[in-house]
Amino acid sequence: MKERLWGEGRRLWAAWRALDQQTIWVLIIATALVIIHDAIGGRRFFQETIADWFHPDQQGLMRWAWRFGTQGILGFLVPIVVLRYAFKQRWHEMGLGLGDWKLASTLALLYIPLVIVGTWVLSDSAAFQTKYPHFAPATSSWRLFFIYEGLFLFYWIGWEYLWRGFVLFGTARTFGHYAIFIQMVPFAVLHISKPLPEAMLSILGGVALGALVWRCRSFWIAVPIHAAQMMILDFWCTMRVRTEVEGIGLGALWQIFSGG
């Protein structure tokens, strides 16, 4: 029995050694980072354990700073350290190079105007105006607005790199093009609490963004593609709240930029 167990142990160790260690640890670490962020990266954790360190007037913004900052650190900085120093990856191998920046820039320039128009229409809804930006005081102070959006951008960098950088490029040498679909799975699963149409669309969105990043060989294109939707919507909703302008025509647009 003892010899049999030792034999099984040796076979298990040999099988482990035969696997690509980078792929294994990228998948394990990515999963652990999501769990860690869920445990300590939320606003509730901040309120229960950290909020007392700040003046009550600062706590509202700092709750969002904590959430966005932890995502940026866990999704962007930690994966970079792992790939760069544990697996000796070069910047372009990690998806952090410029890649095909001409194609990426062209696609972004084509996409952003559609986002501007679409979010302009959505922002005319009172339901959107009461929800965005999530940090309501940002609608009454441009200083708070730009601080909040800067933190929000760091969040998006962390969110996108975790899947479209760390997992996509970290497993590419094992799975090749299939890595596009592998990174889509956890990305879509994390949308499970969203409304059903949005959750289902996250499957298509995850594949499309993964394929785009793979083609451009750089994760940076995913940031404006994904983040612009929320950040521009925040801007339009803020402008409408400040000016109380309704409507989606050119007249309404003129009123907004002329101060209502």
Side-chain angles (χ1 to χ4, degrees):
M1 177 64 72
K2 182 178 179 180
E3 292 182 359
R4 182 176 181 180
L5 290 176
W6 274 108
E8 290 297 327
R10 286 193 296 270
R11 279 190 286 273
L12 179 62
W13 178 246
W16 171 267
R17 292 293 300 273
L19 298 174
D20 182 75
Q21 295 299 303
Q22 177 177 303
T23 299
I24 293 171
W25 285 108
V26 162
L27 293 174
I28 290 173
I29 292 170
T31 305
L33 290 173
V34 172
I35 295 172
I36 292 169
H37 187 259
D38 182 69
I40 69 168
R43 288 174 293 149
R44 178 179 295 179
F45 177 88
F46 174 88
Q47 194 63 38
E48 293 175 350
T49 61
I50 302 174
D52 290 342
W53 300 356
F54 299 93
H55 189 277
D57 293 342
Q58 300 174 324
Q59 290 178 9
L61 179 61
M62 291 308 299
R63 277 196 294 270
W64 288 104
W66 177 259
R67 181 168 186 261
F68 294 162
T70 51
Q71 179 63 56
I73 291 170
L74 295 173
F76 183 64
L77 298 182
V78 172
I80 287 176
V81 170
V82 170
L83 290 179
R84 181 70 174 171
Y85 297 103
F87 296 107
K88 310 302 180 184
Q89 294 287 286
R90 291 173 290 183
W91 297 111
H92 72 274
E93 293 174 321
M94 298 156 58
L96 291 170
L98 292 178
D100 191 343
W101 65 270
K102 292 183 178 179
L103 175 61
S105 300
T106 300
L107 293 174
L109 289 174
L110 292 172
Y111 179 73
I112 297 301
L114 299 177
V115 173
I116 292 173
V117 173
T119 53
W120 163 250
V121 174
L122 291 175
S123 71
D124 192 41
S125 166
F128 279 89
Q129 292 172 33
T130 57
K131 188 174 182 179
Y132 299 103
H134 292 307
F135 180 54
T139 61
S140 58
S141 167
W142 284 119
R143 175 178 172 273
L144 290 177
F145 179 86
F146 286 113
I147 292 174
Y148 171 81
E149 295 298 332
L151 294 166
F152 204 5
L153 181 60
F154 188 48
Y155 168 89
W156 283 112
I157 291 173
W159 174 257
E160 282 302 318
Y161 190 72
L162 182 61
W163 309 117
R164 255 69 72 177
F166 188 52
V167 173
L168 181 64
F169 291 106
T171 65
R173 68 187 191 185
T174 296
F175 300 120
H177 290 81
Y178 294 105
I180 295 170
F181 298 91
I182 290 170
Q183 60 83 34
M184 172 274 295
V185 174
F187 172 78
V189 169
L190 288 172
H191 284 75
I192 196 168
S193 62
K194 301 292 185 180
L196 182 59
E198 181 179 352
M200 296 301 292
L201 282 173
S202 70
I203 299 173
L204 176 61
V207 172
L209 279 174
L212 178 61
V213 168
W214 182 279
R215 169 61 183 84
C216 293
R217 306 309 296 172
S218 173
F219 109 98
W220 293 110
I221 182 58
V223 177
I225 292 291
H226 205 171
Q229 301 171 75
M230 295 302 301
M231 299 178 75
I232 297 174
L233 180 60
D234 282 349
F235 173 76
W236 287 133
C237 288
T238 296
M239 292 295 288
R240 288 188 183 276
V241 170
R242 292 172 72 94
T243 62
E244 299 182 347
V245 171
E246 298 179 354
I248 61 173
L250 293 177
L253 189 63
W254 171 258
Q255 287 181 21
I256 275 187
F257 285 108
S258 62

